[in-house]
Structure formats: C-alpha cells, structure tokens
Amino acid sequence: MPAIGPRIAVVGYAQTPMVRQSEQAEVKLVQDVVIAALKNAGVQRSEVGFTCSGSCDYLSGGTFTFVANLDAVGAWPPIHESHVEMDGAWAFYEAWVRLQHGDIDTALVFGSGKSSTGDLNSVMPLQMDPYYLATLGADPITLAALQARAVLDAGDATERDFADAAARSRTSAEANPYAQVKGSAGADALLSQSYVRNPLRASDLPPISDGAVAVVLATEEKARQLAAAGGFTAAWITGIDHRIEPHYPGVRDLTTSPSTRKAADVAGLASGPIEVAELSAQFSHQEGILTRSLGLDASTEINPSGGALAANPIMATGLVRIAEAAKQIRENGRRRVLAHATSGPLLQQNLVAILESAQSEGSAQ
C-alpha cells in the first residue's frame, strides 16, 4: 500500500558476509550488522524509536531464542521492540507501519538466520500443516522439484532456462562481497551436473547460509537531515504490500504467483518502469515464475547481487533483497527498484516493496 502517514525512507543498511557455517553466535552476527547499519545511516542507537526483528526458533531448536538477539541492540537505553517469526522483510513492513503513526522518526530492523545449525530438510517440514503436509515429510527441495516439473510441463521454461538463471546469478555474485556462491561456470557446465531431485540440479538449489542483515528507516524530515549530513541519497518507500495464498500446494497453480502480482499492484508497480528487481527466487525456476508474474521484461536487471541462489540466510534473505534494492539507489544511482521477499512453501506468501530515489520521489504521494 502507499504511505498513509509520514513518508518513510531507507537511510542505512548492512549485512554480514554470507557463509556456509559461521563460527559466530547469531547474536554476534546481529550485533555486527546493527552497529554497521546505524553507522551507515548516521544514527545513534539512542535515537532509534522502534526495533523489529525477524528470525526462526525452528532453526536454533529452542523456544524464544530470538530474545537473546536483543543483546545485540544493547540494554540501555530501554527500547520499544517487536519480533516476527518470519523473514526480516516482514519486520521491515511492521516497522514501516509503526512509523506511520508519526510519534517516532527512526526504526531499526534486522533479520538473522543460521541455517547450518540443523538439517533444513528435516526442520522446514515441521512448520507445515501438522495433519496432512508435515506427515508426508516433503522437504523444500522435493516440493521445489514438483513446482519445477509443473513449469516445464506447462511449457513456461526449459531446464536450460533454469541453468541460465543459475549461471547468471553466480556471475553477478562475483561483484558482491557478501555472496557465498560465486563463479563463471556457464549453463552447459551446470547442465552436466546430476539431478538432486529431478529436474533440479545442485546449481538450481539455494546454498545453506549463515548471516544477518540490518536496515534503518526514517520519516521524511529525519531522512532528509540524515541524507544531507551523510551526503547520500535516501531510498524512499513509495509502496509496500504483502499477500498470501493457500497453504496447500495442491490447491494452487504452482507455475504462477498471483499473490506477488497483487502485492506489486497495490505497491504501485504500474506507476513507472523498474530498473532493478531483487527477487527472493530461492530456486532457479522461481525467478521465471516471479518475473512472469510481475510482467518484468529485459529492461529490468534481475538480482545484480546474485540473489538467493548466491546466498540464502533463511529469515534474512528477503530483508537482504530490500537492503540490496536500497543500495542500488544510494550507491548505483538507480531511480526506481523493486524488492521481493517470500515465506512459506513454494512462494506461498509474498511481499513487494517499491523504492525510489530523490529524483523520482514526487511520483508517490
């Protein structure tokens, strides 16, 4: 939805290098990005009016383990905070809503995940419907293979298209110091790999990643002050929305993502061209599903960071997309970009945010 109160901008961001297994505790990963994001924004910790985080207790194997991450924010002064048991992109949405009230002018959001601490193929099914889906033991890769097969059978893509997306992701990640999977292997080399789950190969799957990301938001007056003091361009959130589809994969068309399209329409996708789209395509075939659902064409650069195929810190991947989108405006001079996050099996729930530069901010009121 468009802003209903004060205009909000992303004024700071930071992320850790994404790695297969970090020796640091999750709270330390969070502490590093919190300090760096606040410094990037030029904000003192005492200025933050609201803090919201996203993580998953399933990954750590304990209850309320997210509370320990608050140690990274500091014990004094006391903070007003909230938590979502989802990707940090939904914490970003909650902070955006909170800032609409107008009584505070700055918010801190972070997302974190240590996927290496457990077997994802055993952990992730536990979050599904306990009666009909969890009992099947359908792991994320198996479900993704079913979706990929549906895409192939529908004639929407070929296995070479999957390999092309994976190869481009790895090539783009070469310029990203935080990416985990990099390389210049072409599609032919990737197609020579054996199947992990037919029709998906290892290159079609997201890596297991540990990492964290933090983003700082500010209302209009505060954002302009910080941007002027820091000499940077704020990334204005001109629209943001999230939508959900049925939990059961069998009752929806897996070859498209109507919830992504609806969220994008509400966020204002049609108001102008999108130069860059950071999409949470955790499997290679999902990039095509999302680009087709959004109606993006060759004029839009997809995942210049490498995307989720280059690094996939579960519960932070979507917020990383938002940070990367803001980076495109602040550091690369882009005017209008899109960030996408997903949650649940097979693109079940989707969030879309449209970010614009100062040059185009007048288009969103």
Side-chain angles (χ1 to χ4, degrees):
M1 64 180 69
I4 56 177
R7 287 167 51 80
I8 312 299
V10 175
V11 294
Y13 46 80
Q15 57 182 296
T16 63
M18 305 302 168
V19 296
R20 174 58 179 83
Q21 185 171 17
S22 174
E23 296 180 356
Q24 295 182 332
E26 192 168 340
V27 64
K28 182 60 170 65
L29 296 175
V30 171
Q31 182 183 44
D32 289 346
V33 293
V34 165
I35 293 172
L38 291 174
K39 181 179 181 180
N40 184 256
V43 172
Q44 298 296 317
R45 188 166 55 84
S46 59
E47 298 178 70
V48 176
F50 178 67
T51 299
C52 195
S53 61
S55 63
C56 178
D57 283 352
Y58 274 96
L59 295 180
S60 56
T63 56
F64 295 99
T65 55
F66 68 88
V67 175
N69 286 344
L70 291 176
D71 288 343
V73 185
W76 188 265
I79 64 172
H80 298 279
E81 65 85 24
S82 182
H83 174 264
V84 298
E85 190 76 7
M86 295 183 71
D87 189 287
W90 274 265
F92 180 90
Y93 182 87
E94 181 174 337
W96 178 84
V97 171
R98 178 64 185 84
L99 286 169
Q100 298 294 318
H101 290 254
D103 59 323
I104 59 174
D105 60 12
T106 312
L108 169 68
V109 178
F110 60 86
S112 59
K114 290 196 67 174
S115 304
S116 66
T117 57
D119 178 8
L120 292 179
N121 287 335
S122 299
V123 172
M124 300 309 288
L126 297 177
Q127 301 184 76
M128 303 176 75
D129 174 87
Y131 300 104
Y132 298 104
L133 293 179
T135 53
L136 295 175
D139 60 79
I141 299 176
T142 299
L143 290 174
L146 293 173
Q147 185 180 45
R149 177 56 61 189
V151 169
L152 294 174
D153 290 347
D156 291 337
T158 65
E159 290 186 33
R160 174 162 287 277
D161 292 327
F162 300 168
D164 284 339
R168 178 170 42 76
S169 170
R170 295 180 175 209
T171 300
S172 297
E174 289 282 0
N176 181 359
Y178 306 107
Q180 176 183 346
V181 178
K182 308 178 183 183
S184 56
D188 289 336
L190 299 182
L191 284 169
S192 68
Q193 298 175 347
S194 299
Y195 292 122
V196 177
R197 301 278 197 286
N198 191 328
L200 298 179
R201 299 168 170 83
S203 58
D204 298 312
L205 313 181
I208 296 173
S209 308
D210 289 354
V213 58
V215 172
V216 181
L217 306 177
T219 55
E220 184 168 11
E221 182 178 357
K222 183 69 170 181
R224 293 190 186 281
Q225 292 174 356
L226 293 170
F232 62 81
T233 299
W236 299 94
I237 307 165
T238 57
I240 184 170
D241 192 66
H242 64 94
R243 301 284 160 151
I244 193 168
E245 298 178 33
H247 183 63
Y248 296 94
V251 302
R252 49 190 169 99
D253 181 358
L254 298 180
T255 66
T256 187
S257 182
S259 59
T260 297
R261 180 67 202 201
K262 180 62 177 178
D265 286 342
V266 174
L269 174 64
S271 297
I274 298 295
E275 295 173 273
V276 171
E278 281 284 342
L279 307 177
S280 291
Q282 297 175 345
F283 297 88
S284 62
H285 65 276
Q286 291 180 346
E287 181 180 300
I289 293 173
L290 292 169
T291 54
R292 288 190 295 272
S293 297
L294 291 167
L296 302 177
D297 57 28
S299 65
T300 300
E301 185 178 4
I302 306 297
N303 288 340
S305 67
L309 287 173
N312 187 43
I314 292 177
M315 298 300 158
T317 301
L319 187 57
V320 169
R321 305 278 71 75
I322 293 173
E324 290 289 349
K327 179 181 178 180
Q328 287 294 323
I329 288 175
R330 177 165 169 168
E331 300 180 31
N332 295 337
R334 302 292 191 170
R335 294 172 60 87
R336 195 164 189 261
V337 300
L338 179 150
H340 162 267
T342 190
S343 182
L346 304 180
L347 303 174
Q348 181 206 4
Q349 186 168 0
N350 296 280
L351 179 149
V352 173
I354 305 293
L355 306 181
E356 300 189 33
S357 68
Q359 289 87 347
S360 58
E361 67 186 57
S363 64
Q365 298 294 336

